[in-house]
Amino acid sequence: MLRGKFITFEGGEAAGKSTQAKRLAARLEGAGLGTLVTREPGGTPLGEDIRGLILKDHPQEPVTELLLFAAARAEHMTSVIRPALDEGTWVISDRFMDSTRVYQGKHYRIEREFISQLEKYTVAPDYPTLTLIIDLPAEVSMERANTRGTLSRYDAARLETHQLLREGFLEIADSEPDRCVIIDGMLTPDNVEAAVWQAVNERLLAKVL
Ligand SMILES: Nc1ncnc2c1ncn2[C@@H]1O[C@H](COP(=O)(O)OP(=O)(O)O)[C@@H](O)[C@H]1O
Ligand SMILES: [Mg+2]
C-alpha cells in the first residue's frame, strides 16, 4: 500500500491555518483519500495535556517550553502521525516543527543545532512532505488575533514580534523550497483554499492520482 503524505500548515497568529487545515481535509476526502487532521502542540492525550500546561503556566524559561513541545511531538509522531502514514492515511498537522524553529529558535534564540537534534529524535525520518506557509503582514496578523477573542501570549505580542515570526517562516520557505510553499493569507478564505489546493495538486496529487 502507498504511504500517506504528511502536510503541515505553518504561519503566524491568525493566519488562517486552522481554517485551511479543515478545508484541505475536506478536499482530500472528496478526492477519495483518507485524511487525518491533527494539531500541535497536542495531537495525543499526553500532548493535549502538555498544550494545556504550556498555555496555562507559561514557562519562564524558553528551553522548558522547547522540551515540552519536543516531548509532545515525539508522542504525536510515534503514536498518531507515523501509524496513520503507514496505513496510507494523509496527515494534515495544524502547526508542526517549523513553529518550533521560528518561536523557540528565531524568537527565543535557542541554538538551531539543538533544535535540529531534537527534530532528529522526534520527527526523522518522517519530515513533512509539504509545508504550506500562510503568510500575512504583521499588522494584519496582530489585528486578526486581537479580534479573535481569546488571546494567547503571542497574540498579544508587539508588532516587532509578529514581524520577526513572519520573517522566520519566510526564511524557512526560502531555504527549503522543495518542501515549502508560501500561500498569500490576505486572500479571501475561498481563494486561500484554492491556492492551497493548487499547491497540493502540483506538488503531491499529480504524482499519486
Ligand atoms: N483568508 C482570511 N481572510 C480573513 N479572515 C480570515 C481568513 N482566514 C481566517 N480568517 C479569520 O481569522 C481568524 C483566525 O483564523 P484561524 O484559521 O483560526 O487562524 P490560525 O489557526 O492560523 O490562528 C478567524 O477569526 C478566521 O475566521
Ligand atoms: Mg489555529
Side-chain angles (χ1 to χ4, degrees), residues 90-109:
W90 286 45
V91 178
I92 300 172
S93 189
D94 181 353
R95 290 200 186 279
F96 195 64
M97 64 179 193
D98 298 304
S99 288
T100 303
R101 292 188 192 176
V102 170
Y103 287 77
Q104 278 66 52
K106 186 148 176 102
H107 178 52
Y108 283 117
R109 298 169 169 279

Side-chain angles (χ1 to χ4, degrees), residues 63-189:
V63 172
T64 307
E65 204 174 50
L66 173 67
L67 295 174
L68 286 171
F69 281 129
R73 182 162 304 137
E75 285 302 302
H76 194 197
M77 202 69 216
T78 302
S79 65
V80 175
I81 298 174
R82 188 165 295 129
L85 294 172
D86 283 342
E87 68 177 26
T89 300
W90 286 45
V91 178
I92 300 172
S93 189
D94 181 353
R95 290 200 186 279
F96 195 64
M97 64 179 193
D98 298 304
S99 288
T100 303
R101 292 188 192 176
V102 170
Y103 287 77
Q104 278 66 52
K106 186 148 176 102
H107 178 52
Y108 283 117
R109 298 169 169 279
I110 297 174
E111 210 181 333
R112 181 54 221 265
E113 186 47 36
F114 182 40
I115 293 178
S116 295
Q117 283 294 318
L118 287 171
E119 284 175 5
K120 210 168 104 190
Y121 286 93
T122 55
V123 181
D126 290 309
Y127 291 97
T129 334
L130 175 65
T131 296
L132 300 153
I133 294 178
I134 307 188
D135 178 53
L136 213 54
E139 295 81 1
V140 182
S141 191
M142 231 179 135
E143 198 180 288
R144 276 201 210 160
N146 277 312
T147 52
R148 184 162 52 173
T150 51
L151 281 185
S152 82
R153 186 176 11 162
Y154 293 107
D155 287 336
R158 296 171 306 144
L159 187 64
E160 300 87 279
T161 304
H162 285 282
Q163 188 66 44
L164 187 78
L165 298 170
R166 180 188 195 192
E167 282 163 20
F169 285 113
L170 293 177
E171 282 163 14
I172 292 171
D174 207 45
S175 66
E176 291 184 60
D178 289 345
R179 172 171 69 89
C180 303
V181 175
I182 298 170
I183 304 284
D184 181 0
M186 289 292 281
L187 302 171
T188 63

Side-chain angles (χ1 to χ4, degrees), residues 39-57:
R39 68 171 183 179
E40 289 212 346
T44 64
L46 181 109
E48 291 293 330
D49 281 354
I50 292 176
R51 180 187 183 100
L53 284 177
I54 295 170
L55 295 177
K56 176 170 137 284
D57 292 332

